[in-house]
Amino acid sequence: MFSKWWMVNLSMVRKAARPAAFVCLSLSLAVASGCSVLPKEEEEEAIPVIQAPKLSKKPEYTVKTGTLESTARGSGKMMSTVEEDLYFTDETSRRIKQIAVKTGDRVEQGQLIAELDVTELESELKQKRLQTRKDELAMIETLRNADGKSAEEIEQAKITFELEREKLNKMESTIAKAKLTAPFSGTIVSLYMKKGDSVKAYDAIATIADLSQLTVAATLSADDLKKVAVGMEVVVDINALGQHKGTVQQMPSPKSEDSGSGGGFPGEGQRQPDSIDKYMIVKLESLPEGIDRGRPLSVTVITNRKENAVLIPLAALRSYSGRNYVQVVEADGSKREVDVELGQQTSTEVEIVKGLTPGQKVVGR
């Protein structure tokens, strides 16, 4: 009986153990196969590595020797040393009757350039000449019969006759000046008026020039002109013709204080007569081929030159309360301040007269 009970219990244990084993096996397979029994973990975000910022190092420059040049710059054009604006001097506004030339024409001295319309004045002149002749005969008759007249009457007759003759002379002079002629042989390089235009005294009609005598004419600022003197070296950069060397030959003439107002000068809105005397003249060592009047150019005048100067970049110079100093780099890398005495200075470099020697290194800003 005990044996039967034991066998029955053993069978029941085996039946109960089967489901438990199945559950365990299922859990093992689920974990091994990565099934969705458990939630999937999110992937960790890759955090970039932050580099520590590098401190910027100030530039270092080596003290050197070289040539330092101070310059003055300006612009200009090619002009003729013999060049002149032509204009009428009649104070009465008149119309141009004819223009006898065109731009580029070669003219001889005395050749007609332009003529004003003085037809009405010429008609008056004929009448005035006849009246003056009549007055002259009357004056002769008065002098013949001077016995019956007082000295005052005779003198009054003379004055009246001379006044009328002066009017005649002025009229003749005005008509003569109505013709504008070439003051010298040359080329008409510009025309500013045409037939029918109304002109006043000193309105420019044309420009005549001797193209065989071209030169550099330049303008500089008032401050730069103070630094320039005759004989200084010049580098001239001519448009499309390269750079050429020359020297300052002539400085511009001082401007008149009343220029441009009254005294026969052009008024507002009129072309100001151009003159080579207004420019700084530069004599080139040789004229390049293809040069022509009016070609634009720039000039660089060397106002001062220092050979074997001790130089540092302007960026290495420090100034404070009137003190000029630099930071010198020692052999061990340390830095110290050194006071310096300055010489010439340009927009990029400065001469050190005292305080530094070539080969030393200085710190820039």
Side-chain angles (χ1 to χ4, degrees), residues 55-314:
L55 296 176
S56 59
K57 183 181 179 181
K58 293 182 179 180
E60 296 180 357
Y61 304 100
T62 301
V63 181
K64 63 179 183 179
T65 58
T67 300
L68 188 66
E69 293 180 344
S70 296
T71 60
R73 291 181 171 85
S75 59
K77 59 184 176 180
M78 295 299 299
M79 292 183 67
S80 172
T81 55
V82 182
E83 182 168 325
E84 186 177 330
D85 278 353
L86 306 180
Y87 45 80
F88 292 103
T89 57
D90 188 354
E91 295 181 359
T92 303
S93 178
R94 301 183 188 279
R95 293 192 177 277
I96 295 179
K97 182 178 180 180
Q98 69 162 323
I99 298 290
V101 295
K102 60 182 182 297
T103 302
D105 280 358
R106 170 75 183 178
V107 296
E108 300 298 326
Q109 183 176 3
Q111 184 174 333
L112 180 66
I113 304 298
E115 184 178 2
L116 293 176
D117 187 356
V118 288
T119 304
E120 184 178 347
L121 193 61
E122 288 174 335
S123 177
E124 293 177 9
L125 177 61
K126 292 179 181 179
Q127 297 179 19
K128 191 64 178 177
R129 282 174 175 167
L130 293 174
Q131 182 63 45
T132 302
R133 179 57 181 164
K134 183 177 179 181
D135 293 341
E136 184 178 358
L137 294 175
M139 187 63 194
I140 293 173
E141 184 65 24
T142 299
L143 293 175
R144 284 178 179 173
N145 301 317
D147 294 340
K149 298 182 182 297
S150 65
E152 289 78 7
E153 289 177 327
I154 295 176
E155 187 64 25
Q156 183 64 40
K158 289 181 179 180
I159 292 174
T160 301
F161 177 75
E162 291 297 330
L163 287 174
E164 292 302 319
R165 174 172 284 185
E166 182 61 27
K167 290 180 181 180
L168 173 65
N169 293 337
K170 185 177 181 179
M171 194 175 294
E172 289 176 337
S173 176
T174 300
I175 292 175
K177 291 179 179 179
K179 292 184 177 181
L180 187 63
T181 59
F184 54 85
S185 298
T187 302
I188 301 299
V189 295
S190 296
L191 277 175
Y192 310 108
M193 297 287 181
K194 63 182 182 299
K195 180 180 177 180
D197 284 348
S198 179
V199 297
K200 300 183 291 294
Y202 301 97
D203 280 351
I205 307 300
T207 300
I208 184 174
D210 183 351
L211 299 184
S212 66
Q213 302 188 50
L214 293 180
T215 191
V216 173
T219 56
L220 284 76
S221 67
D223 290 338
D224 281 342
L225 275 176
K226 296 176 183 178
K227 308 172 187 176
V228 178
V230 173
M232 287 184 173
E233 295 181 30
V234 185
V235 177
V236 182
D237 193 344
I238 304 175
N239 187 22
L241 294 177
Q243 293 187 345
H244 303 270
K245 293 183 178 180
T247 55
V248 178
Q249 185 179 35
Q250 178 181 317
M251 298 299 292
S253 301
K255 294 182 179 179
S256 174
E257 294 182 0
D258 59 351
S259 178
S261 60
F265 287 95
E268 184 178 356
Q270 293 177 273
R271 168 184 156 81
Q272 295 288 335
D274 202 6
S275 171
I276 198 168
D277 293 333
K278 298 179 180 179
Y279 298 89
M280 180 187 75
I281 306 304
V282 176
K283 183 180 180 180
L284 294 176
E285 294 180 356
S286 60
L287 286 175
E289 293 184 4
I291 194 67
D292 53 356
R293 180 194 174 276
R295 186 176 291 257
L297 50 86
S298 60
V299 297
T300 302
V301 184
I302 302 172
T303 57
N304 199 356
R305 177 187 284 127
K306 180 68 176 292
E307 305 284 352
N308 298 319
V310 178
L311 305 175
I312 63 170
L314 195 59

